[in-house]
Amino acid sequence: MRTALTFLYRAAEILGAVFLVLIAVLIVSQVFARLANRMVPGADELAGYCMAASFFLMLGPALRRGAHIRVGVLVDRLRGGPRRLVELICLGFGTALSGYFAWYWLRMTYDSYDFGDLGQGVLPIPLWIPQAAMGVGLVILVIAFLDDLLAVIQGREASYQSAGMQSEG
């Protein structure tokens, strides 16, 4: 199971990086097109969709690596049982909240597909396509939260704690 989860997180990182590269390609193509007195139709909206996909796909892996901003003013001062309890509450809340967002985002994505919603820009892109990438990212975030929640329940450290220690050393 750990191998499958590691693969999932790594695949999300790679896919998120691919979308970042696509943003760079779109920007560079726009620059060269403007130098030639041309334009790249829909490049701005495509770059926006790529940015959203990249951001959402990297949420779960960023949690695992300890890259999210955490306010540890209280948690970092606690030790033992009280710290574990606060971590469990925070991870439970994070799991529930991200699960809520994922559920409703995927419902909205299905509605966009069902109604045939198209983007308002130059290119009539079906909205469910970029929305689906964002929904997948939210589902991966839920899985990452659940992964850490189960680890703390079992008495192990959350991934972001051990990732923070590795980067400090």
Side-chain angles (χ1 to χ4, degrees):
M1 184 62 139
R2 174 59 39 212
T3 304
L5 289 173
T6 300
F7 176 79
L8 176 69
Y9 302 137
R10 190 69 179 144
E13 283 178 321
I14 291 169
L15 195 54
V18 166
F19 280 110
L20 285 177
V21 169
L22 287 174
I23 293 169
V25 167
L26 286 165
I27 290 170
V28 169
S29 66
Q30 275 187 307
V31 168
F32 283 115
R34 285 184 184 159
L35 289 173
N37 289 324
R38 303 275 184 234
M39 32 179 309
V40 179
D44 292 340
E45 64 189 294
L46 288 174
Y49 293 147
C50 287
M51 182 176 58
S54 177
F55 175 82
F56 278 85
L57 285 167
M58 291 188 179
L59 282 173
L63 174 69
R64 302 283 303 162
R65 291 183 181 269
H68 285 287
I69 297 172
R70 273 185 357 122
V71 180
V73 173
L74 174 64
V75 177
D76 290 343
R77 296 179 193 274
L78 299 174
R79 300 284 175 246
R83 180 180 179 127
R84 186 169 178 267
L85 178 63
V86 171
E87 288 284 354
L88 285 170
I89 291 169
C90 291
L91 287 167
F93 181 74
T95 302
L97 188 62
S98 60
Y100 174 82
F101 285 138
W103 171 257
Y104 281 97
W105 192 268
L106 291 172
R107 282 185 54 190
M108 181 186 69
T109 302
Y110 177 77
D111 287 344
S112 292
Y113 174 79
D114 196 34
F115 298 137
D117 286 344
L118 299 174
Q120 300 278 325
V122 176
L123 301 175
I125 297 172
L127 285 179
W128 69 267
I129 295 171
Q131 289 172 347
M134 296 164 71
V136 167
L138 284 169
V139 168
I140 293 170
L141 178 63
V142 172
I143 292 168
F145 266 118
L146 272 173
D147 193 3
D148 278 341
L149 179 62
L150 291 173
V152 173
I153 287 172
Q154 294 170 355
R156 295 181 284 127
E157 279 189 333
S159 63
Y160 53 81
Q161 291 173 314
S162 56
M165 286 181 201
Q166 290 171 356
S167 64
E168 291 171 9

